[in-house]
Amino acid sequence: MINFSSNDYLGLSDHPTLKANAIEAIHQFGTGTGSARLISGSLLLTHQLEESLARWKKAESALVFNSGYQANVAILQALLQPTDWVFCDRLNHASLIDGCLLSGARWTRYQHLDLDDLTRRLKKAPVKASKWIVTDSVFSMDGDYPDLGKLVAIAKGFGAQIILDEAHATGLYGDQYSSGLAEAFGVSKDIAVQISTFSKALGGTGAFVTGSKTIINQLINTARGFIYTTAPAPASIAAAQAAVDLIQADALSCQTGKDSLKKRLWQNVDLFSERLHWHKNNKHPVAEKLYENLAWPLKSPVIPIVIGSEENAVAASKHLEREGFFVHAICPPTVPEGTARLRISLSAAHTTDQVTGLVDALTRIQSSIS
Ligand SMILES: *Cc1c(COP(=O)(O)O)cnc(C)c1O
């Protein structure tokens, strides 16, 4: 089957340079690191990677983690104090929710992307309390994102700090460096903490956080998910380094109009919308319905086709499977009740025939769409 459920947006997980770097690191340093970094130190590779990550994200410092889930839980638990107030988007990733809960901070959730609701809630918090706004940049199950310019302005007005999870944006957004949505909005300097993963567009495994030296030092000394875990494997670090170098070179190619992975990915996003539009203009009833359910223009390679009931979403997924496409049905509690969906993620590795083939198969879905 053709896989439309993976977050390997640039197809890097199968890239020869990443694979060669990882294999070379195994030959040189072995398969494991044997201990936590505070006990037996860090590979030079890891320090070098952290320096490149800080430069890429225009931050003072960076720290790597074994996974995005682990990073979020560790970072939030370490930075948020029980007397702090934390404001979360209602649809934040589960790892952000878990981290906020573990921190014991006063927790409030605003309506998805609703910055007026956020403002109302910020007004209710004591002026003196430390305030944090925690949000995904690109939302993993919806493919939408907040207006980061406005979010920064609101945060400044209330003296709140922003923690931004760039898992689905790092490597994809930002014309110059592809460093994420903060770069695209020109607000990198105004975001206290950015979290990114190696596991999506970077095609590997692990995660990293960027911020001031003070914040990174605080994490090194207090984040339990950093202190009490074995350092990431040499192969993961080496693959991540190759991905970061490759993505920055690729961004430059894209900017100068040359063929690039980033260009191919966004061409696939455009192709998906054009093909669906074409079916809709031909009055195809399913296409009309699908079109209605999607926010236009498509803002990301994550395309949620909200079906409604779990049963219908699973049936729609089975239908696509029979046509040769793997699109997993996402059901509650991953998404809110009554919004079960097909979550399509496009990649630079998909061919044009595969993308148009998927849209054509979608129009043949038999189950009812709410
Ligand atoms: C995938 C994801 C994570 C978790 O990252 P892993 O490296 O898979 O553990 C964290 N936050 C968001 C928004 C994600 O989509």
Side-chain angles (χ1 to χ4, degrees):
M1 281 188 286
I2 306 303
N3 187 354
F4 280 98
S5 285
S6 152
N7 300 315
D8 187 13
Y9 300 115
L10 297 173
L12 288 189
S13 78
D14 194 37
H15 196 284
T17 311
L18 271 74
K19 291 195 281 193
N21 257 37
I23 291 165
E24 168 64 22
I26 290 175
H27 285 314
Q28 228 183 332
F29 301 106
T31 50
T33 52
S35 183
R37 288 174 70 182
L38 291 187
I39 293 182
S40 58
S42 310
L43 290 169
L44 184 60
L45 283 185
T46 308
H47 284 304
Q48 284 167 341
L49 174 62
E50 286 172 342
E51 278 164 26
S52 331
L53 293 169
R55 275 199 302 277
W56 190 30
K57 283 283 193 176
K58 300 274 171 285
E60 274 177 20
S61 238
L63 187 67
V64 302
F65 283 83
N66 289 302
S67 83
Y69 181 91
Q70 193 175 338
N72 280 344
V73 169
I75 291 161
L76 292 165
Q77 194 190 3
L79 297 182
L80 274 46
Q81 306 304 316
T83 49
D84 295 355
W85 282 55
V86 54
F87 301 84
C88 287
D89 188 289
R90 198 157 258 290
L91 297 187
N92 274 353
H93 191 266
S95 55
L96 294 172
I97 297 175
D98 293 357
C100 289
L101 291 176
L102 258 179
S103 75
R106 179 80 183 258
W107 192 51
T108 105
R109 294 205 291 173
Y110 57 92
Q111 294 303 317
H112 181 51
L113 303 184
D114 185 343
L115 300 185
D116 293 331
D117 188 30
L118 168 63
T119 305
R120 273 193 295 279
R121 288 164 190 272
L122 279 161
K123 280 185 186 150
K124 286 190 193 148
V127 178
K128 278 200 203 143
S130 290
K131 301 175 191 73
W132 302 86
I133 299 167
V134 177
T135 182
D136 286 26
S137 63
V138 173
F139 279 79
S140 52
M141 296 300 145
D142 296 83
D144 51 6
Y145 50 77
D147 180 328
L148 290 184
K150 284 189 187 151
L151 190 77
V152 163
I154 291 169
K156 281 189 179 160
F158 288 92
Q161 303 198 77
I162 299 174
I163 298 179
L164 186 68
D165 182 343
E166 291 256 50
H168 293 273
T170 298
L172 304 181
Y173 296 78
D175 286 343
Q176 232 181 328
Y177 308 106
S178 296
S179 74
L181 204 64
E183 180 195 332
F185 275 93
V187 297
S188 299
K189 294 263 179 286
D190 301 302
I191 301 213
V193 180
Q194 281 192 47
I195 298 147
S196 302
T197 62
F198 299 134
S199 51
K200 281 140 192 174
L202 278 71
T205 169
F208 67 99
V209 56
T210 45
S212 68
K213 280 204 172 85
T214 315
I215 285 182
I216 300 301
N217 277 334
Q218 188 183 344
L219 292 174
I220 290 171
N221 290 293
T222 63
R224 298 167 68 82
F226 170 77
I227 299 169
Y228 298 108
T229 191
T230 300
S236 306
I237 297 293
Q241 182 71 64
V244 173
D245 295 343
L246 198 146
I247 285 173
Q248 290 179 81
D250 188 80
L252 195 66
S253 302
C254 187
Q255 234 189 338
T256 51
K258 293 192 198 120
D259 183 34
S260 73
L261 294 171
K262 189 180 185 182
K263 187 165 154 193
R264 275 186 240 166
L265 172 67
W266 290 105
Q267 276 173 346
N268 278 344
V269 175
D270 288 344
L271 180 63
F272 184 98
S273 35
E274 280 156 20
R275 188 70 173 184
L276 192 55
H277 205 151
W278 177 78
H279 280 296
K280 178 196 161 242
N281 285 350
N282 288 335
K283 304 275 176 241
H284 192 294
V286 180
E288 284 178 333
K289 192 78 199 166
L290 294 178
Y291 200 83
E292 251 174 57
N293 281 0
L294 279 172
W296 298 94
L298 292 176
K299 291 173 149 192
S300 83
V302 176
I303 304 168
I305 307 272
V306 177
I307 304 280
S309 79
E310 279 190 50
E311 218 181 342
N312 287 338
V314 171
S317 169
K318 287 256 159 63
H319 164 84
L320 294 177
E321 195 177 312
R322 283 191 296 275
E323 296 218 20
F325 300 104
F326 178 57
V327 180
H328 191 68
I330 310 276
C331 297
T334 304
V335 293
E337 281 299 331
T339 71
R341 66 196 64 183
L342 298 173
R343 174 187 181 272
I344 294 162
S345 37
L346 299 176
S347 166
H350 291 131
T351 64
T352 53
D353 284 351
Q354 290 167 347
V355 175
T356 52
L358 172 68
V359 179
D360 297 350
L362 280 168
T363 64
R364 293 188 285 269
I365 286 174
Q366 299 291 320
S367 41
S368 71
I369 300 166
S370 70

